[in-house]
Amino acid sequence: MSEIIHSPLVATVLVFALIAFGEWLSIVSRARVPMLLTAMVGFMILTWTGIFPENILESSQFAALGAILIGPAIVHMGTLIPMKVLREQYRAVVISLAGVVVAAILIFTIIPFVFNFETAVAGMGPISGGVVAMIITTEKLQQLDLGTVALIPALIVAFQGLIGMPLALNFMRSYAKRLIGKIDDGTFTPMNAQLVEELEETKKLGPVRSSMTIRLFLVFVVGALGVVLGSITPINYSIWCLVFGIIGAKIGFLEQESLVKANSFTLTLVGIMFVVIGSMAGVSPQDVMTQLPAVAAIIILGTAGIALGGYVGAKLVKWDPLKGMPVALTALFGFPGDYLLCEEVARSTARTKDEEKLIFNELLTPMLIGGFTTVTVASVFIAGILVSFL
């Protein structure tokens, strides 16, 4: 039986089953239970109880592929939303960044004195938005052999959505009730509900550029260039990859949503999930318990800072704070959580189908832009910069 489990394909399927189960649970719970939390906790329990061998990820070999795919994935992130859309939705961008800035002030004011500077760095990147920032931070912490501090990023990413989503949901429901009041008294003016329409190609792609293989190759080329520059300059490779992705999409070298167009995004995401789960390999229950106080402190301070920053940012751009704070809080859960929250709030507060559509459209655009600003862009820059100080 042991030999069967150590077969690369069987080992991959067993770990993949945890990711698939986490995805299913996230769907049926409407993103209240994060996929990553289910997969990571399941992996730790199965490893601690001996059901999974400790080296199951090494047997799988899929995590090695995931590690290769990180650079191309960051390039892809840079191609997701055109700069034109970000400029048009500058208020949502300002609010999102304000949340991250205030969270950073709180974390770096308190955490270094209660714990240490490395703990603050370990938490700031992930709390500002997502898996890629977590991987960047964890890689550096493991290189420096900082022990269980390297567990903090993964634990934060696993648990932060449990606080962020209910908080954002309550703010959004309160704002939706205000919208209904405006609809009733005739003062409601709907904003542009379109996030971004598919950019029409000015010319038909030739057979070479239409090839999925060549599309994927170009993303890998740009990712490799970012990794090379990251190794010969003080700037982390993640920042190079993100910037080159943005520039590549702008000049037409890469397509918008490049990995999606190359039919490779899902496989890339799964590979990266293997890397994230791999950060928990060899971790004991005592290791997790040791870092839980730091994780709890960072999540509480980070969430409070993001909400406060969202409030201040909303006031600056003359938005209702009940609309602005959820936009900032998207840093804690991103897509598809932001989309699902908009859907749920619109459905549960509206009295008619027309009202549901108006509320959904009013909420969706800034929420998606907020998530893109923090999870896709700001967190990568923040993590890339902060790890250089370790």
Side-chain angles (χ1 to χ4, degrees):
M1 185 67 179
S2 176
E3 291 182 4
I4 295 175
I5 291 180
H6 285 290
S7 164
L9 181 57
V10 173
T12 298
V13 168
L14 291 173
V15 178
F16 200 170
L18 289 174
I19 298 172
F21 176 69
E23 182 74 4
W24 173 82
L25 192 57
S26 176
I27 292 169
V28 299
S29 69
R30 302 197 64 80
R32 286 186 178 87
V33 181
M35 178 269 286
L36 194 56
L37 175 64
T38 303
M40 289 175 61
V41 171
F43 178 79
M44 287 188 290
I45 291 173
L46 292 172
T47 304
W48 293 341
T49 55
I51 297 173
F52 278 5
E54 288 189 3
N55 62 344
I56 189 170
L57 285 168
E58 294 175 17
S59 300
S60 163
Q61 301 176 24
F62 205 75
L65 174 62
I68 294 171
L69 293 171
I70 294 170
I74 299 174
V75 172
H76 166 78
M77 290 164 71
T79 69
L80 287 179
I81 296 183
M83 296 304 294
K84 180 175 181 288
V85 177
L86 289 180
R87 288 195 299 269
E88 290 174 353
Q89 291 291 329
Y90 73 93
R91 291 182 179 88
V93 174
V94 169
I95 290 169
S96 303
L97 295 178
V100 171
V101 168
V102 176
I105 291 171
L106 284 180
I107 288 173
F108 282 100
T109 300
I110 297 172
I111 296 298
F113 296 101
V114 179
F115 300 98
N116 53 51
F117 178 74
E118 289 79 9
T119 297
V121 172
M124 187 58 224
I127 203 73
S128 62
V131 171
V132 174
M134 181 230 105
I135 291 173
I136 295 166
T137 308
T138 302
E139 281 180 350
K140 186 66 174 182
L141 294 171
Q142 289 175 341
Q143 286 175 14
L144 298 175
D145 196 21
L146 291 175
T148 58
V149 174
L151 299 178
I152 291 175
L155 291 172
I156 286 174
V157 169
F159 288 105
Q160 63 188 9
L162 294 176
I163 297 178
M165 288 190 72
L167 193 59
L169 183 66
N170 286 328
F171 289 142
M172 291 166 73
R173 277 185 174 147
S174 298
Y175 179 65
K177 290 175 184 176
R178 289 188 182 180
L179 287 181
I180 290 173
K182 290 183 178 180
I183 291 170
D184 288 342
D185 61 25
T187 59
F188 174 66
T189 305
M191 65 179 289
N192 179 18
Q194 296 297 322
L195 170 62
V196 57
E197 295 182 357
E198 190 76 20
L199 294 177
E200 293 184 6
E201 298 181 42
T202 55
K203 59 181 180 179
K204 197 171 182 179
L205 290 175
V208 174
R209 288 298 302 274
S210 297
S211 165
M212 300 295 177
T213 302
I214 292 176
R215 286 173 172 174
L216 185 60
F217 171 70
L218 293 176
V219 178
F220 269 67
V221 167
V222 176
L225 180 60
V227 170
V228 169
L229 287 174
S231 65
I232 61 177
T233 68
I235 301 173
N236 190 274
Y237 77 92
S238 59
I239 296 177
W240 286 116
C241 288
L242 186 64
V243 170
F244 287 157
I246 294 170
I247 294 172
K250 178 72 175 175
I251 65 177
F253 182 74
L254 299 173
E255 293 184 75
Q256 296 290 335
E257 302 182 340
S258 54
L259 286 179
V260 174
K261 298 286 178 60
N263 284 351
S264 305
F265 179 68
T266 300
L267 185 64
T268 300
L269 192 61
V270 171
I272 291 175
M273 289 299 106
F274 269 69
V275 175
V276 175
I277 292 172
S279 67
M280 308 307 293
V283 174
S284 68
Q286 292 76 19
D287 292 335
V288 173
M289 294 304 297
T290 298
Q291 293 302 337
L292 275 183
V295 170
I298 291 167
I299 290 176
I300 291 169
L301 288 172
T303 302
I306 289 170
L308 178 59
Y311 180 89
V312 173
K315 287 292 188 181
L316 287 175
V317 300
K318 297 183 167 68
W319 268 12
D320 188 327
L322 290 174
K323 179 181 180 180
M325 287 189 286
V327 170
L329 287 167
T330 54
L332 300 175
F333 46 86
F335 187 86
D338 45 13
Y339 184 92
L340 293 172
L341 285 182
C342 294
E343 198 175 53
E344 182 168 333
V345 169
R347 189 187 64 253
S348 62
T349 57
R351 298 163 298 186
T352 65
K353 283 293 181 183
D354 288 340
E355 270 188 9
E356 181 178 338
K357 185 176 180 181
L358 283 173
I359 293 169
F360 178 76
N361 288 339
E362 179 72 14
L363 295 173
L364 182 64
T365 303
M367 287 291 285
L368 291 180
I369 291 295
F372 173 81
T373 302
T374 51
V375 176
T376 306
V377 180
S379 64
V380 176
F381 275 105
I382 289 169
I385 292 169
L386 287 179
V387 295
S388 65
F389 291 100
L390 292 174

